[in-house]
Amino acid sequence: MVYEKEAHIARIAVQKAALLTRSISSQILQNKSSSTITKLDKSPVTIGDFSAQAIIINAIKANFPSDEIIGEEDSNDLKENPSLASKISDALQANDVEFNKIGYTNVSLGSKFESVEQISSIIDQGNSQGGNKGRFWALDPIDGTKGFLRGDQYAVCLALIEDGIVKLGVIGCPNLPDNFESPNYKGGLFTAVKGQGSWYSKLYDHKVDQDFTKDLKISMKNELASSSEIKVCEGVEKGHSSHDDQLKIKQYLGIPVDQTLNLDSQVKYCALSKGSAELYLRLPVSASYQEKIWDHAAGNILITESGGIVTDMTGKTLNFGEGRILHSSGVIAGSKQFQGKVIEAIKETILKKN
């Protein structure tokens, strides 16, 4: 299989990072003030974000040393918060102990974490500027940090991009139920490889197989009777997408309001790919709002490989070869069956008035 090793390492690294974030989530809920800082852009950052980025970059560099990484975080905030840096070091060491119980052999995920300086250096290797040439990974160590802080939905997201094209995506969803109606298990691992489909497995309590095609193959729904049957995913935070504009689209298409799932992070892409919904709306809150590629790269290939489509609000495909910024006007993902109608609805209700 193409990208077999890349997929295997990515899946194990995401699983390891997800284990860490799960283990510390209860601590953060109990004592946010000592586990959270605020960046200049006012978004919350926790020990989970920094630790997960260190774990995944460490694994990538151990196996693919020439690859670059675009990571969301840098270590500047840690240098000004020694108590937080100490907690990250403790969390990473505890995670090593827990992860080793799974029993992986002959798999290197990098050197042992031994000092804050070493951890900071690893985190800062996520400084690639990307572009349309070469090979790099896009990493969001905790996508949906606010959901993580609430004990709700969040995701660990990793994508491999070559010459501006997403080739591989892995998303770990620590709190995603296997079924929204009658859940029996929480924690999903989603994998997509270009030309090889999208796949799902449980996230915890087992070694991920090197052959990802042994997982459950998943696909989007593309055979609804009418647009009124569409289930819609949209974000929880109103600062990330225009809920008012999205309501107009749903009204235009005749989609009942109670058929909306409000979920943080790229979990929305995962819900679509698994058939729990058919449409993801993320309309920009302003003309100046800019998406980051780590917020959509893994989800983009998960949708396209499960039989869906992803565009901006004008119908253009997303371009992941223009640096760290995704220069798109919103994001629309979903069933090919209704994508044309969704774009028509946007033109008639939003773009025409602007």
Side-chain angles (χ1 to χ4, degrees):
M1 293 185 297
V2 180
Y3 301 109
E4 181 178 20
K5 181 179 179 181
E6 288 88 343
H8 193 217
I9 296 302
R11 283 152 55 83
I12 296 173
V14 166
Q15 183 189 47
K16 185 178 183 182
L19 282 168
L20 181 142
T21 61
R22 182 180 68 168
S23 69
I24 65 175
S25 62
S26 60
Q27 301 173 33
I28 289 177
L29 290 171
Q30 292 170 7
N31 192 7
K32 291 181 183 178
S33 62
S34 64
S35 302
T36 306
I37 59 177
T38 302
K39 295 188 294 187
L40 293 176
D41 64 1
K42 306 303 181 183
S43 63
V45 179
T46 69
I47 56 176
D49 295 81
F50 291 116
S51 301
Q53 179 152 322
I55 287 170
I56 293 175
I57 291 180
N58 201 28
I60 292 172
K61 284 296 186 180
N63 291 276
F64 313 104
S66 298
D67 288 2
E68 295 186 358
I69 300 109
I70 292 180
E72 182 175 12
E73 311 301 342
D74 63 56
S75 70
N76 289 335
D77 292 315
L78 295 186
K79 295 169 184 175
E80 300 174 3
N81 293 269
S83 63
L84 189 64
S86 177
K87 288 185 179 183
I88 289 172
S89 181
D90 292 343
L92 288 168
Q93 291 178 24
N95 177 248
D96 281 340
V97 173
E98 181 180 5
F99 180 73
N100 288 339
K101 294 177 182 178
I102 299 176
Y104 285 104
T105 58
N106 300 321
V107 176
S108 173
L109 296 184
S111 56
K112 184 178 179 180
F113 297 108
E114 296 182 339
S115 68
V116 171
E117 291 75 19
Q118 176 208 22
I119 295 166
S120 296
S121 176
I122 292 171
I123 289 171
D124 287 340
Q125 290 183 69
N127 63 354
S128 173
Q129 296 305 304
N132 60 8
K133 298 295 181 183
R135 170 167 149 145
F136 61 91
W137 300 76
L139 165 64
D140 195 337
I142 293 184
D143 183 23
T145 309
K146 291 181 180 179
F148 174 59
L149 293 173
R150 292 196 309 271
D152 206 338
Q153 297 301 327
Y154 68 96
V156 181
C157 308
L158 182 62
L160 174 62
I161 300 171
E162 289 185 348
D163 298 331
I165 305 298
V166 184
K167 300 293 188 177
L168 160 69
V170 176
I171 302 178
C173 305
N175 292 331
L176 183 65
D178 56 353
N179 187 309
F180 283 105
E181 284 72 32
S182 54
N184 296 306
Y185 177 91
K186 284 187 177 181
L189 181 65
F190 294 80
T191 305
V193 178
K194 191 168 182 62
Q196 299 178 62
S198 294
W199 308 81
Y200 164 82
S201 72
K202 291 182 177 180
L203 179 58
Y204 303 118
D205 308 321
H206 70 288
K207 291 189 289 185
V208 298
D209 200 290
Q210 184 162 348
D211 182 359
F212 58 85
T213 65
K214 292 182 179 179
D215 291 350
L216 175 67
K217 191 169 187 179
I218 53 178
S219 60
M220 285 206 59
K221 291 181 180 178
N222 281 297
E223 298 179 355
L224 299 184
S226 71
S227 60
S228 64
E229 296 182 7
I230 294 174
K231 290 186 178 67
V232 180
C233 283
E234 62 182 21
V236 176
E237 303 296 333
K238 293 184 178 180
H240 294 163
S241 62
S242 174
H243 286 208
D244 291 340
D245 284 344
Q246 286 158 196
L247 177 60
K248 294 175 186 177
I249 303 308
K250 289 184 281 188
Q251 291 173 335
Y252 185 94
L253 295 171
I255 302 172
V257 175
D258 62 358
Q259 289 175 196
T260 298
L261 288 171
N262 292 103
L263 301 168
D264 291 288
S265 78
Q266 291 184 65
V267 165
K268 296 183 283 292
Y269 286 117
C270 298
L272 262 67
S273 70
K274 204 164 180 277
S276 299
E278 293 77 44
L279 177 62
Y280 167 26
L281 294 172
R282 189 178 176 98
L283 301 183
V285 292
S286 68
S288 62
Y289 185 81
Q290 292 183 312
E291 303 281 359
K292 308 297 191 301
I293 69 168
W294 54 74
D295 287 323
H296 299 281
N300 185 91
I301 191 169
L302 187 64
I303 293 297
T304 58
E305 286 298 316
S306 62
I309 185 171
V310 186
T311 71
D312 71 3
M313 61 192 291
T314 69
K316 295 179 181 178
T317 57
L318 306 185
N319 188 340
F320 292 93
E322 297 182 307
R324 297 170 70 93
I325 302 296
L326 186 61
H327 297 279
S328 71
S329 180
V331 177
I332 310 297
S335 164
K336 291 180 179 178
Q337 182 182 2
F338 295 108
Q339 189 79 355
K341 290 185 178 181
V342 174
I343 299 301
E344 173 191 306
I346 292 171
K347 290 178 179 177
E348 292 298 319
T349 63
I350 299 172
L351 296 180
K352 184 179 288 186
K353 295 181 180 180
N354 293 337

XYZ file of all heavy atoms in Angstrom, residues 165-243:
611
model
N -0.887 18.897 -2.118
C -2.008 17.967 -2.154
C -2.011 17.121 -0.881
O -0.986 16.537 -0.504
C -1.928 17.025 -3.379
C -1.815 17.850 -4.665
C -3.141 16.103 -3.420
C -2.995 18.746 -4.939
N -3.156 17.042 -0.222
C -3.271 16.210 0.976
C -3.286 14.742 0.562
O -4.127 14.317 -0.234
C -4.542 16.537 1.776
C -4.568 15.724 3.072
C -4.614 18.024 2.108
N -2.337 13.970 1.087
C -2.209 12.567 0.732
C -2.703 11.620 1.814
O -3.065 10.476 1.535
C -0.735 12.243 0.449
C -0.113 13.041 -0.691
C -0.724 12.669 -2.039
C 0.041 13.342 -3.169
N -0.488 12.935 -4.505
N -2.704 12.096 3.045
C -3.026 11.236 4.182
C -3.599 12.085 5.298
O -3.123 13.183 5.562
C -1.740 10.533 4.656
C -1.685 9.946 6.064
C -2.595 8.737 6.173
C -0.249 9.562 6.424
N -4.618 11.574 5.967
C -5.186 12.264 7.120
C -5.513 11.276 8.225
O -6.048 10.199 7.959
N -5.185 11.644 9.456
C -5.529 10.840 10.622
C -6.125 11.766 11.672
O -5.549 12.812 11.986
C -4.300 10.117 11.208
C -4.684 9.362 12.483
C -3.708 9.148 10.190
N -7.280 11.385 12.204
C -7.950 12.183 13.230
C -8.337 11.270 14.386
O -9.019 10.260 14.201
C -9.213 12.870 12.690
C -8.869 13.778 11.499
C -9.887 13.692 13.799
C -10.081 14.462 10.876
N -7.909 11.638 15.587
C -8.326 10.942 16.793
C -9.352 11.783 17.527
O -9.114 12.954 17.804
N -10.492 11.186 17.844
C -11.597 11.889 18.519
C -11.848 11.232 19.873
O -12.626 10.266 19.968
C -12.856 11.839 17.670
S -12.669 12.463 15.989
N -11.203 11.710 20.931
C -11.265 11.023 22.227
C -12.652 10.888 22.830
O -12.908 9.931 23.562
C -10.362 11.907 23.115
C -9.381 12.493 22.158
C -10.198 12.787 20.923
N -13.566 11.815 22.541
C -14.892 11.776 23.167
C -16.022 11.488 22.193
O -17.195 11.578 22.572
C -15.171 13.114 23.874
C -14.284 13.330 25.079
O -13.857 12.382 25.728
N -13.994 14.586 25.382
N -15.708 11.135 20.963
C -16.758 10.916 19.970
C -17.434 9.563 20.191
O -16.774 8.526 20.191
C -16.178 10.972 18.563
C -17.186 10.826 17.419
C -18.156 11.999 17.408
C -16.473 10.713 16.075
N -18.767 9.548 20.374
C -19.459 8.273 20.555
C -19.536 7.491 19.252
O -19.535 8.079 18.166
C -20.856 8.695 21.032
C -21.052 10.066 20.467
C -19.690 10.701 20.472
N -19.590 6.173 19.365
C -19.717 5.357 18.170
C -21.081 5.527 17.512
O -21.248 5.273 16.328
C -19.462 3.876 18.489
C -20.379 3.342 19.592
O -21.106 4.129 20.203
O -20.335 2.117 19.841
N -22.044 5.999 18.281
C -23.400 6.211 17.783
C -24.036 7.320 18.598
O -24.084 7.244 19.819
C -24.206 4.906 17.912
C -25.565 4.991 17.260
O -26.334 5.917 17.512
N -25.872 4.017 16.421
N -24.530 8.374 17.930
C -25.099 9.506 18.657
C -26.425 9.145 19.317
O -26.785 9.706 20.344
C -25.299 10.704 17.723
C -24.035 11.448 17.413
C -23.419 11.319 16.179
C -23.448 12.274 18.359
C -22.252 12.000 15.895
C -22.275 12.960 18.087
C -21.678 12.825 16.848
N -27.171 8.207 18.728
C -28.479 7.861 19.259
C -28.373 6.951 20.487
O -29.056 7.148 21.486
C -29.337 7.164 18.184
C -29.901 8.100 17.132
C -28.840 8.613 16.168
O -27.872 7.859 15.885
O -28.963 9.760 15.703
N -27.528 5.945 20.428
C -27.383 5.005 21.555
C -25.911 4.598 21.685
O -25.521 3.489 21.315
C -28.248 3.767 21.330
O -27.957 3.178 20.071
N -25.089 5.499 22.196
C -23.642 5.239 22.252
C -23.270 4.118 23.207
O -23.825 4.001 24.297
C -23.081 6.589 22.737
C -24.216 7.247 23.456
C -25.450 6.819 22.737
N -22.310 3.286 22.754
C -21.784 2.220 23.599
C -20.304 2.417 23.898
O -19.785 1.808 24.826
C -21.966 0.861 22.899
C -23.422 0.500 22.702
O -24.190 0.490 23.657
N -23.807 0.202 21.473
N -19.643 3.267 23.099
C -18.186 3.421 23.202
C -17.825 4.840 22.783
O -18.415 5.393 21.857
C -17.504 2.403 22.278
C -15.987 2.502 22.246
C -15.214 1.759 23.125
C -15.336 3.322 21.328
C -13.823 1.828 23.100
C -13.952 3.401 21.292
C -13.203 2.655 22.181
O -11.834 2.738 22.149
N -16.874 5.430 23.469
C -16.376 6.748 23.106
C -14.915 6.662 22.709
O -14.110 6.072 23.424
C -16.553 7.735 24.260
C -17.970 8.233 24.454
C -18.020 9.334 25.495
C -19.422 9.900 25.644
N -19.468 10.993 26.645
N -14.596 7.289 21.581
C -13.223 7.330 21.110
C -13.094 6.718 19.737
O -13.226 5.503 19.582
N -12.863 7.547 18.718
C -12.752 7.059 17.351
C -11.447 7.466 16.700
O -10.946 8.573 16.930
N -10.880 6.576 15.888
C -9.679 6.857 15.109
C -10.052 6.770 13.630
O -10.495 5.723 13.154
C -8.578 5.846 15.436
C -7.247 6.035 14.709
C -6.583 7.352 15.127
C -6.310 4.858 14.989
N -9.852 7.875 12.915
C -10.235 7.967 11.509
C -8.987 8.112 10.651
O -8.098 8.908 10.964
C -11.157 9.161 11.293
C -12.493 9.034 11.979
C -12.617 9.299 13.337
C -13.614 8.651 11.272
C -13.845 9.183 13.979
C -14.847 8.525 11.899
C -14.962 8.793 13.252
N -8.930 7.359 9.559
C -7.781 7.369 8.666
C -8.253 7.475 7.226
O -9.206 6.793 6.835
C -6.961 6.064 8.809
O -6.605 5.879 10.178
C -5.703 6.117 7.954
N -7.604 8.318 6.446
C -7.896 8.416 5.013
C -6.586 8.546 4.252
O -5.706 9.307 4.654
C -8.790 9.617 4.718
N -6.456 7.790 3.171
C -5.286 7.851 2.307
C -5.772 8.047 0.876
O -6.710 7.365 0.437
C -4.432 6.566 2.413
C -3.241 6.646 1.470
C -3.963 6.363 3.854
N -5.151 8.976 0.177
C -5.611 9.323 -1.170
C -5.661 8.088 -2.066
O -4.672 7.367 -2.217
C -4.707 10.389 -1.787
C -5.282 10.989 -3.071
C -4.522 12.224 -3.484
C -5.109 12.851 -4.740
N -6.506 13.294 -4.550
N -6.841 7.862 -2.643
C -7.048 6.738 -3.533
C -7.317 5.418 -2.846
O -7.537 4.400 -3.515
N -7.322 5.411 -1.490
C -7.490 4.150 -0.755
C -8.640 4.161 0.237
O -8.805 3.229 1.018
C -6.181 3.801 -0.042
C -5.020 3.593 -1.015
C -3.720 3.307 -0.311
O -3.579 2.306 0.395
N -2.741 4.180 -0.497
N -9.451 5.233 0.236
C -10.642 5.251 1.068
C -10.449 5.826 2.451
O -9.358 6.232 2.847
N -11.555 5.829 3.213
C -11.577 6.308 4.597
C -11.961 5.148 5.513
O -12.817 4.321 5.167
C -12.588 7.448 4.754
O -12.179 8.583 4.031
N -11.361 5.150 6.704
C -11.476 3.995 7.586
C -11.649 4.439 9.032
O -11.158 5.495 9.444
C -10.228 3.111 7.452
C -9.939 2.764 6.025
C -9.305 3.542 5.090
C -10.335 1.569 5.340
N -9.265 2.893 3.877
C -9.886 1.679 3.996
C -11.007 0.404 5.728
C -10.104 0.681 3.058
C -11.211 -0.592 4.797
C -10.765 -0.458 3.479
N -12.342 3.603 9.822
C -12.633 3.924 11.221
C -12.301 2.737 12.118
O -12.541 1.583 11.759
C -14.118 4.264 11.384
C -14.609 4.234 12.816
C -14.417 5.323 13.653
C -15.240 3.103 13.322
C -14.852 5.297 14.974
C -15.679 3.064 14.642
C -15.487 4.160 15.456
O -15.906 4.123 16.765
N -11.759 3.048 13.290
C -11.586 2.023 14.323
C -11.740 2.676 15.688
O -11.737 3.900 15.817
C -10.205 1.350 14.218
O -9.185 2.243 14.644
N -11.867 1.858 16.710
C -11.863 2.376 18.069
C -10.487 2.973 18.363
O -9.474 2.517 17.849
C -12.185 1.255 19.059
C -13.623 0.765 18.958
C -13.906 -0.318 19.999
C -15.359 -0.761 19.937
N -15.656 -1.816 20.948
N -10.482 3.994 19.207
C -9.252 4.740 19.453
C -8.386 4.118 20.543
O -7.162 4.187 20.488
C -9.606 6.181 19.842
C -8.471 7.148 20.158
C -7.512 7.274 18.988
C -9.036 8.527 20.519
N -9.027 3.501 21.524
C -8.288 3.064 22.706
C -8.194 1.534 22.813
O -8.851 0.798 22.083
C -8.972 3.596 23.972
C -9.129 5.091 24.003
C -10.391 5.679 24.046
C -8.020 5.931 23.990
C -10.542 7.055 24.096
C -8.159 7.312 24.039
C -9.425 7.865 24.091
O -9.570 9.220 24.128
N -7.368 1.117 23.750
C -7.348 -0.260 24.260
C -6.859 -1.307 23.265
O -7.135 -2.499 23.433
C -8.749 -0.676 24.762
C -9.336 0.331 25.736
O -8.564 0.853 26.560
O -10.552 0.611 25.655
N -6.152 -0.908 22.235
C -5.630 -1.893 21.295
C -4.488 -1.283 20.499
O -4.359 -0.066 20.400
C -6.722 -2.366 20.329
C -7.134 -1.322 19.341
N -7.876 -0.217 19.690
C -6.884 -1.195 18.003
C -8.078 0.539 18.627
N -7.481 -0.027 17.594
N -3.673 -2.137 19.903
C -2.636 -1.680 18.984
C -3.265 -1.446 17.615
O -4.005 -2.287 17.115
C -1.521 -2.726 18.870
C -0.686 -2.894 20.124
C 0.530 -3.773 19.875
C 0.136 -5.216 19.667
N 1.333 -6.087 19.545
N -2.966 -0.298 17.010
C -3.482 -0.060 15.665
C -2.704 -0.946 14.695
O -1.495 -1.134 14.830
C -3.370 1.426 15.257
C -4.187 2.305 16.176
C -1.926 1.891 15.223
N -3.412 -1.504 13.733
C -2.802 -2.414 12.785
C -2.024 -1.641 11.733
O -2.435 -0.546 11.322
C -3.879 -3.270 12.108
C -3.307 -4.534 11.489
O -2.580 -4.411 10.476
O -3.579 -5.617 12.007
N -0.900 -2.182 11.304
C -0.137 -1.525 10.243
C -0.949 -1.437 8.954
O -0.803 -0.494 8.187
C 1.181 -2.267 9.986
C 2.056 -1.558 8.961
C 3.503 -2.005 9.019
O 3.911 -2.682 9.959
N 4.280 -1.639 8.023
N -1.813 -2.406 8.725
C -2.696 -2.399 7.565
C -4.006 -1.723 7.950
O -4.893 -2.343 8.535
C -2.955 -3.833 7.092
C -3.837 -3.889 5.857
O -4.274 -2.829 5.367
O -4.105 -5.015 5.390
N -4.137 -0.432 7.645
C -5.324 0.307 8.060
C -6.596 -0.187 7.359
O -7.706 0.084 7.803
C -5.154 1.812 7.810
C -4.880 2.182 6.377
C -5.912 2.353 5.470
C -3.572 2.372 5.939
C -5.663 2.701 4.151
C -3.311 2.718 4.620
C -4.355 2.884 3.722
N -6.455 -0.933 6.274
C -7.632 -1.434 5.570
C -8.303 -2.586 6.322
O -9.347 -3.085 5.894
C -7.290 -1.880 4.138
O -6.397 -2.992 4.177
C -6.652 -0.747 3.356
N -7.711 -2.991 7.443
C -8.389 -3.957 8.312
C -9.414 -3.281 9.210
O -10.189 -3.954 9.893
C -7.358 -4.719 9.157
C -6.475 -5.655 8.349
C -5.512 -6.412 9.240
C -4.641 -7.364 8.433
N -3.670 -8.098 9.287
N -9.404 -1.951 9.225
C -10.411 -1.199 9.971
C -11.747 -1.245 9.224
O -11.866 -1.857 8.165
C -9.964 0.260 10.141
C -8.775 0.402 11.073
O -8.417 -0.585 11.733
O -8.202 1.508 11.121
N -12.737 -0.565 9.771
C -14.055 -0.488 9.138
C -14.052 0.592 8.066
O -13.782 1.763 8.361
C -15.121 -0.161 10.190
C -16.546 0.068 9.665
C -17.120 -1.221 9.091
C -17.430 0.628 10.767
N -14.329 0.221 6.825
C -14.392 1.217 5.761
C -15.679 2.019 5.913
O -16.754 1.457 6.148
C -14.334 0.565 4.386
C -14.130 1.579 3.265
C -13.805 0.923 1.933
C -13.444 1.991 0.894
N -13.092 1.390 -0.416
N -15.566 3.326 5.770
C -16.725 4.196 5.982
C -16.986 5.028 4.733
O -16.101 5.254 3.907
C -16.521 5.134 7.198
C -15.205 5.919 7.068
C -16.543 4.336 8.489
C -14.955 6.897 8.198
N -18.231 5.480 4.599
C -18.590 6.300 3.437
C -19.737 7.223 3.790
O -20.526 6.950 4.704
C -18.991 5.409 2.248
O -20.100 4.603 2.584
N -19.812 8.319 3.049
C -20.868 9.298 3.253
C -22.177 8.811 2.657
O -22.193 7.990 1.749
C -20.486 10.630 2.603
C -19.447 11.395 3.368
S -19.596 13.167 3.040
C -21.272 13.470 3.594
N -23.280 9.358 3.172
C -24.587 9.079 2.585
C -24.793 9.978 1.368
O -24.588 11.181 1.442
C -25.688 9.335 3.604
C -25.716 8.346 4.761
C -26.858 8.677 5.712
C -26.911 7.701 6.870
N -27.992 8.048 7.821
N -25.203 9.395 0.264
C -25.439 10.165 -0.957
C -26.767 9.810 -1.620
O -26.951 10.030 -2.807
C -24.297 9.920 -1.961
C -23.045 10.712 -1.630
O -23.042 11.935 -1.625
N -21.980 9.999 -1.313
N -27.699 9.273 -0.831
C -28.941 8.810 -1.430
C -30.161 9.215 -0.608
O -31.080 8.415 -0.376
C -28.913 7.283 -1.604
C -27.816 6.795 -2.535
C -27.792 5.288 -2.679
O -28.571 4.616 -1.975
O -27.006 4.780 -3.501
N -30.227 10.449 -0.162
C -31.406 10.932 0.557
C -32.519 11.279 -0.421
O -32.267 11.623 -1.575
C -31.051 12.159 1.396
C -29.996 11.975 2.497
C -29.834 13.267 3.280
C -30.365 10.828 3.427
N -33.750 11.199 0.045
C -34.897 11.476 -0.823
C -35.008 12.952 -1.158
O -35.395 13.321 -2.270
C -36.180 10.988 -0.156
N -34.648 13.826 -0.202
C -34.740 15.273 -0.438
C -33.816 15.999 0.525
O -33.337 15.426 1.509
C -36.176 15.770 -0.257
O -36.546 15.741 1.113
N -33.598 17.285 0.254
C -32.720 18.085 1.110
C -33.287 18.253 2.516
O -32.542 18.544 3.454
C -32.469 19.449 0.478
O -33.677 20.148 0.293
N -34.596 18.063 2.696
C -35.197 18.207 4.020
C -34.737 17.117 4.987
O -34.918 17.240 6.197
C -36.727 18.179 3.916
O -37.166 16.922 3.434
N -34.109 16.059 4.459
C -33.616 14.976 5.305
C -32.165 15.186 5.738
O -31.629 14.401 6.529
C -33.729 13.641 4.560
C -35.157 13.235 4.230
C -35.221 11.878 3.544
O -34.166 11.208 3.455
O -36.308 11.494 3.089
N -31.517 16.229 5.246
C -30.110 16.467 5.553
C -29.915 16.759 7.037
O -30.640 17.568 7.621
C -29.561 17.649 4.731
C -29.552 17.313 3.246
C -28.160 18.032 5.196
C -29.171 18.477 2.366
N -28.937 16.102 7.631
C -28.471 16.467 8.966
C -27.231 17.339 8.781
O -26.350 17.022 7.983
C -28.140 15.224 9.796
C -29.349 14.403 10.202
C -28.933 13.286 11.151
C -30.138 12.475 11.612
N -30.746 11.715 10.501
N -27.159 18.426 9.532
C -26.108 19.423 9.371
C -25.200 19.450 10.591
O -25.674 19.403 11.724
C -26.714 20.831 9.158
C -25.614 21.872 8.982
C -27.646 20.838 7.964
N -23.903 19.529 10.342
C -22.931 19.775 11.408
C -22.461 21.222 11.325
O -22.174 21.723 10.234
C -21.711 18.866 11.262
S -21.972 17.177 11.791
N -22.408 21.882 12.450
C -21.789 23.203 12.512
C -21.123 23.362 13.864
O -21.377 22.598 14.790
C -22.795 24.314 12.243
C -23.938 24.416 13.214
C -24.916 25.529 12.838
O -24.938 25.943 11.672
O -25.652 25.976 13.723
N -20.258 24.350 13.968
C -19.483 24.530 15.179
C -20.297 25.019 16.355
O -21.399 25.552 16.207
N -19.727 24.851 17.527
C -20.338 25.361 18.747
C -20.050 26.851 18.900
O -20.939 27.639 19.229
C -19.812 24.593 19.977
C -20.363 25.187 21.264
C -20.164 23.109 19.866
N -18.798 27.242 18.629
C -18.363 28.616 18.851
C -18.819 29.535 17.717
O -18.500 29.305 16.548
C -16.837 28.670 18.970
C -16.261 27.779 20.061
C -16.696 28.192 21.443
O -16.996 29.397 21.638
O -16.745 27.325 22.328
N -19.539 30.579 18.044
C -20.017 31.521 17.031
C -18.893 32.405 16.494
O -19.061 33.039 15.456
C -21.133 32.380 17.621
C -22.400 31.585 17.936
C -23.532 32.477 18.422
C -24.786 31.652 18.688
N -25.910 32.501 19.153
N -17.766 32.440 17.178
C -16.648 33.226 16.689
C -15.928 32.591 15.522
O -15.109 33.238 14.864
N -16.207 31.310 15.239
C -15.529 30.606 14.167
C -16.350 30.508 12.888
O -15.807 30.267 11.815
C -15.160 29.186 14.621
C -14.146 29.154 15.724
N -13.926 28.048 16.502
C -13.294 30.111 16.174
C -12.977 28.313 17.384
N -12.577 29.560 17.203
N -17.659 30.655 12.990
C -18.511 30.592 11.804
C -19.792 31.370 12.067
O -20.207 31.549 13.210
C -18.832 29.136 11.433
O -19.538 28.493 12.474
N -20.414 31.823 10.991
C -21.616 32.649 11.099
C -22.854 31.768 11.213
O -23.353 31.247 10.215
C -21.737 33.572 9.882
O -22.958 34.275 9.915
N -23.340 31.602 12.417
C -24.531 30.787 12.617
C -25.755 31.425 11.969
O -26.668 30.710 11.522
C -24.763 30.566 14.114
C -23.808 29.589 14.733
N -24.122 28.821 15.828
C -22.546 29.243 14.390
C -23.100 28.047 16.142
N -22.126 28.305 15.281
